[in-house]
Amino acid sequence: MNYALYLGRRLALGSGGRKASPGVRVATAAIALSVAVMIASIAIVLGFKREITDKVLGFTSHIVMTVSPDEGDYIITLTPTLKKILDSQECIKDYSLQISIPTILKTPDDFKGVFLKTLEDKATRDFLKSNLISGSIPDYSQDSARLDVVLSRMAADQMGLNQGDKVDCYFINDDVMVRRLKIAGIYDSHFDAYDDLMVYGSRSLSETFSGLKSNQGSSIIITTTDFNNLDEETASIQHALNDAISEGLIYKKYSLENAHVQGASYFHWLSMLDTNVIVVLTLMMIVGCVTLISGMLTIILDKKRFIGLIKSLGASNGKVRQIFIFLALRVAVVGMAIGNLLIIAMLLLQDRLHFFKLDASSYYIDFVPVQLDWTAFGLLNLGVIAVIYLTLIFPSRIISKISPSETMRGE
């Protein structure tokens, strides 16, 4: 009995120096390919989610707070009371006033309506810097940069402007005000719906056009502590503002709109990608398991006489099945290791070099984004091993039908 198990273990460990059979090589390659595709699918979807979310938040914020439309007044004044209410919310990480006003850009040959937004908070500056294609982000601490703006590539192309050019900006209210602005930088986020309308300038320029004071704005942009709980935190802040109104602490109704609402079309598109990944994972798991089962059956048939031999020496059907399941798992682990090494190396290169390109007009990004989540990859590999093990139990039962007497007679 012990000698039979010893022979079985030697078989499972691949002793003897013989090359693997074609069935084993095919099974190894199939597992490697399946695992590589599954890891790539997860990394790409996570990359898309990160990039699209960053772009939506770059143009808006986690939460945008505005005066309720039925108030008839769009101006938010950050009073000490309102500031105290916002400071008391544990879910708020940061907030700042923002001015967004409609203006008209005009050249001798063309004009375009845009929204002039203040470029003050660090998050917006970092976002524009990451999408800058020419020029630089103005330093508004210097008076000389007061009339410098950052324009989108789309708007610049429409009006025939380049970095360093001058353009007249008109604001029409009771009176017409005009300022000649300098294009300090041009950005391209590939979000055409936003790029077509947004121009960023100094707060002093926006205050000049709008007549607002330093503690006033058209909205308050709020960054929360946990984007994953954005809806719950939005409801919590709204509840606090409503309580303040009922208690007579503030006298204006405020509306909150979070990124999930403002970027609803983009997040809906991302949710569709989740469904695609589930389909890919399922199909690749099926392909890997079916191929490995075929490989296992090939091994069993190839070692039919050997099975009869160790069974005649006293090995039970259960022990022999364990040996061949172990051998099939060994093939799976080798394939998984190859798949993991190859695809992770490729993903690391893609993350740094962006050599796989995309059509930005269709995907909002001009390269294939990837994000390496080692926890997700580890759980995927454990799941693959578990599914493969459970799948191999049934085909291994063919071993119990192999008779030692018949195999020895054939010998």
Side-chain angles (χ1 to χ4, degrees):
M1 177 68 173
N2 290 335
Y3 181 65
L5 294 178
Y6 169 76
L7 289 176
R9 292 191 184 98
R10 296 288 290 177
L11 169 66
L13 292 173
S15 63
R18 295 196 303 172
K19 292 183 179 180
S21 66
V24 172
R25 291 198 293 269
V26 170
T28 302
I31 292 294
L33 179 61
S34 299
V35 170
V37 171
M38 288 189 283
I39 289 177
S41 300
I42 293 174
I44 291 171
V45 167
L46 290 177
F48 266 110
K49 286 187 173 183
R50 179 195 63 201
E51 293 292 329
I52 298 300
T53 300
D54 287 348
K55 288 180 183 292
V56 171
L57 295 180
F59 283 111
T60 59
S61 186
H62 288 196
I63 301 172
V64 177
M65 176 179 168
T66 57
V67 177
S68 182
D70 56 9
E71 290 290 333
D73 181 8
Y74 75 93
I75 298 175
I76 289 182
T77 302
L78 190 57
T79 63
T81 302
L82 181 57
K83 189 174 185 302
K84 183 178 180 181
I85 293 171
L86 296 177
D87 289 340
S88 67
Q89 301 302 302
E90 295 182 357
C91 61
I92 294 180
K93 181 180 179 181
D94 189 24
Y95 62 90
S96 62
L97 282 168
Q98 185 179 69
I99 301 175
S100 178
I101 54 176
T103 58
I104 297 175
L105 299 181
K106 188 178 184 306
T107 65
D109 302 318
D110 205 352
F111 68 92
K112 181 178 179 60
V114 296
F115 283 94
L116 177 64
K117 298 183 70 173
T118 52
L119 180 54
E120 281 194 324
D121 61 292
K122 184 178 183 299
T124 304
R125 294 180 68 88
D126 290 343
F127 167 71
L128 290 179
K129 187 176 181 179
S130 66
N131 289 278
L132 207 63
I133 59 174
S134 67
S136 60
I137 304 299
D139 179 8
Y140 291 127
S141 63
Q142 302 179 9
D143 291 338
S144 58
R146 176 176 174 272
L147 298 180
D148 290 355
V149 296
V150 180
L151 188 68
S152 71
R153 177 198 55 79
M154 175 180 286
D157 289 347
Q158 290 173 358
M159 303 188 70
L161 297 170
N162 295 300
Q163 184 263 326
D165 289 348
K166 299 291 183 66
V167 60
D168 291 332
C169 182
Y170 289 81
F171 176 73
I172 302 175
N173 198 355
D174 295 333
D175 297 319
V176 177
M177 300 182 66
V178 60
R179 293 291 185 274
R180 175 154 290 187
L181 309 179
K182 177 184 176 182
I183 301 175
I186 296 177
Y187 73 92
D188 187 3
S189 74
H190 304 296
F191 265 33
D192 292 351
Y194 290 101
D195 287 357
D196 190 40
L197 297 174
M198 301 301 180
V199 176
Y200 293 87
S202 65
R203 182 175 177 86
S204 61
L205 175 63
S206 296
E207 288 177 354
T208 299
F209 279 142
S210 63
L212 297 179
K213 300 177 182 178
S214 60
N215 67 334
Q216 293 179 324
S218 57
S219 63
I220 294 178
I221 54 175
I222 299 172
T223 303
T224 63
T225 55
D226 186 2
F227 185 76
N228 294 323
N229 294 322
L230 185 60
D231 292 332
E232 293 80 1
E233 293 179 345
T234 303
S236 175
I237 299 170
Q238 185 71 70
H239 182 70
L241 292 171
N242 292 340
D243 286 347
I245 292 176
S246 63
E247 295 171 6
L249 299 177
I250 56 178
Y251 302 97
K252 279 187 178 181
K253 294 180 181 179
Y254 296 101
S255 299
L256 301 182
E257 197 170 69
N258 62 32
H260 290 160
V261 175
Q262 294 195 330
S265 59
Y266 300 107
F267 287 109
H268 177 68
W269 179 66
L270 291 177
S271 67
M272 294 175 62
L273 292 181
D274 289 337
T275 303
N276 294 340
V277 168
I278 293 173
V279 173
V280 170
L281 294 181
T282 302
L283 291 177
M284 289 299 100
M285 191 74 77
I286 292 173
V287 169
C289 288
V290 169
T291 308
L292 192 58
I293 289 172
S294 301
M296 182 181 185
L297 293 176
T298 301
I299 296 171
I300 291 174
L301 294 176
D302 184 55
K303 302 298 181 182
K304 186 175 180 180
R305 294 175 181 176
F306 185 84
I307 293 171
L309 174 62
I310 61 175
K311 288 176 73 173
S312 67
L313 293 175
S316 65
N317 286 325
K319 293 295 183 181
V320 179
R321 288 175 61 187
Q322 289 179 12
I323 291 171
F324 278 87
I325 289 175
F326 177 79
L327 179 58
L329 284 176
R330 180 171 175 266
V331 172
V333 170
V334 171
M336 290 173 62
I338 294 172
N340 274 270
L341 290 175
L342 291 179
I343 196 61
I344 289 176
M346 184 176 293
L347 291 174
L348 287 171
L349 289 175
Q350 173 63 16
D351 191 38
R352 293 178 179 272
L353 303 178
H354 300 165
F355 50 84
F356 288 120
K357 301 297 183 179
L358 289 176
D359 179 7
S361 63
S362 300
Y363 295 96
Y364 312 112
I365 306 172
D366 59 358
F367 64 93
V368 177
V370 297
Q371 179 175 337
L372 277 67
D373 187 328
W374 303 110
T375 300
F377 297 165
L379 291 175
L380 173 66
N381 281 279
L382 291 176
V384 170
I385 286 290
V387 170
I388 287 175
Y389 175 76
L390 295 174
T391 305
L392 292 174
I393 292 176
F394 180 76
S396 69
R397 298 181 64 180
I398 194 175
I399 292 173
S400 62
K401 298 181 180 181
I402 297 177
S403 171
S405 59
E406 292 180 358
T407 57
M408 298 302 289
R409 189 182 301 117
E411 184 69 24

